[in-house]
Amino acid sequence: DSGVTQTPKHLITATGQRVTLRCSPRSGDLSVYWYQQSLDQGLQFLIQYYNGEERAKGNILERFSAQQFPDLHSELNLSSLELGDSALYFCASSPGPTQIKPQHFGDGTRLSIL
Amino acid sequence: EDQVTQSPEALRLQEGESSSLNCSYTVSGLRGLFWYRQDPGKGPEFLFTLYSAGEEKEKERLKATLTKKESFLHITAPKPEDSATYLCAVQADGGYNKLIFGAGTRLAVHP
């Protein structure tokens, strides 16, 4: 058990809809990262938050947004969903913003767009 | 552009048959290289961090090594429970903490 909790485990929805994925980091970790894993792209970095502030952005679509709350949990919001957004979405956490420490991953949310 | 390439894509071993997985990387400056194991339906599980060429880390039947251009994950006398996808990732200078992942090696160990 990595200590990172993601909910829900599975999400099935339709094109054009909006969903919210939730992540609780490991106790003591202030940085949260979101990654997308699809069959053809592998694991791709989306965005990083540290103590409530956005720190780094990857190839995150404008239809996607995230935030980190005062209790350090994070949410990833995906809107105007398209078939191509079907993927596994992982959250990871680490202690600080720039330390070279391993990131620990949750078990992901599997998003299926019908 | 920072890039990570893993080979082979898939590897089938008999129990006890040792082998190595390769991770080659091209980055502007390496801050750290990470190995993860991923089981079906699960998130990546951290195995090792390597920081500089010449460094080695060991855990049970796994040993990770690092050179200036690549890393190897050596699996000695594997067991069926070692079957998983092994992912290599790097953190590069100027990339903050984001991890750049390779596509992984799917390892199957048969009794």
Side-chain angles (χ1 to χ4, degrees):
Chain A
D1 183 7
S2 69
V4 177
T5 304
Q6 289 188 249
T7 57
K9 289 190 185 305
H10 303 279
L11 206 46
I12 302 173
T13 188
T15 56
Q17 296 299 304
R18 173 189 169 93
V19 296
T20 298
L21 313 183
R22 182 187 169 103
C23 168
S24 294
R26 290 196 324 165
S27 176
D29 285 354
L30 299 179
S31 271
V32 169
Y33 311 80
W34 287 97
Y35 291 84
Q36 180 191 58
Q37 187 176 42
S38 57
L39 284 174
D40 57 342
Q41 293 272 342
L43 268 161
Q44 300 284 319
F45 169 74
L46 295 178
I47 197 164
Q48 176 196 0
Y49 276 81
Y50 170 71
N51 206 21
E53 300 290 327
E54 182 185 304
R55 288 285 298 186
K57 252 182 176 178
N59 297 325
I60 187 167
L61 299 172
E62 285 190 13
R63 300 183 285 107
F64 296 1
S65 65
Q67 57 186 121
Q68 187 179 26
F69 295 86
D71 67 352
L72 301 177
H73 91 271
S74 178
E75 293 181 357
L76 179 67
N77 300 295
L78 315 177
S79 61
S80 302
L81 288 168
E82 301 175 359
L83 293 176
D85 298 328
S86 294
L88 273 165
Y89 292 86
F90 287 102
C91 168
S93 71
S94 72
T98 57
Q99 300 161 313
I100 311 171
K101 295 284 189 185
Q103 295 173 21
H104 294 272
F105 286 75
D107 283 338
T109 293
R110 181 176 296 279
L111 177 62
S112 299
I113 313 299
L114 303 179
Chain B
E1 184 184 342
D2 298 330
Q3 198 168 354
V4 177
T5 304
Q6 291 188 246
S7 61
E9 286 186 20
L11 182 63
R12 179 190 169 114
L13 298 174
Q14 289 299 120
E15 185 172 1
E17 179 187 2
S18 302
S19 188
S20 295
L21 314 183
N22 177 263
C23 170
S24 61
Y25 60 90
T26 306
V27 294
S28 50
L30 181 70
R31 298 178 70 219
L33 185 141
F34 302 82
W35 281 99
Y36 287 86
R37 168 192 172 127
Q38 186 174 23
D39 292 296
K42 298 287 189 180
E45 175 190 348
F46 169 71
L47 293 173
F48 303 109
T49 308
L50 301 166
Y51 297 102
S52 56
E55 191 174 359
E56 297 182 352
K57 293 270 179 76
E58 276 190 78
K59 179 181 177 179
E60 295 181 358
R61 295 177 294 282
L62 300 177
K63 179 180 176 180
T65 62
L66 181 64
T67 72
K68 288 188 177 180
K69 292 184 178 181
E70 57 192 349
S71 177
F72 292 93
L73 185 65
H74 307 278
I75 305 177
T76 302
K79 298 182 178 181
E81 53 262 42
D82 294 322
S83 298
T85 295
Y86 290 85
L87 298 167
C88 171
V90 298
Q91 273 185 7
D93 287 342
Y96 293 93
N97 273 15
K98 79 173 185 183
L99 291 175
I100 303 164
F101 279 89
T105 294
R106 290 190 314 278
L107 174 67
V109 181
H110 297 270

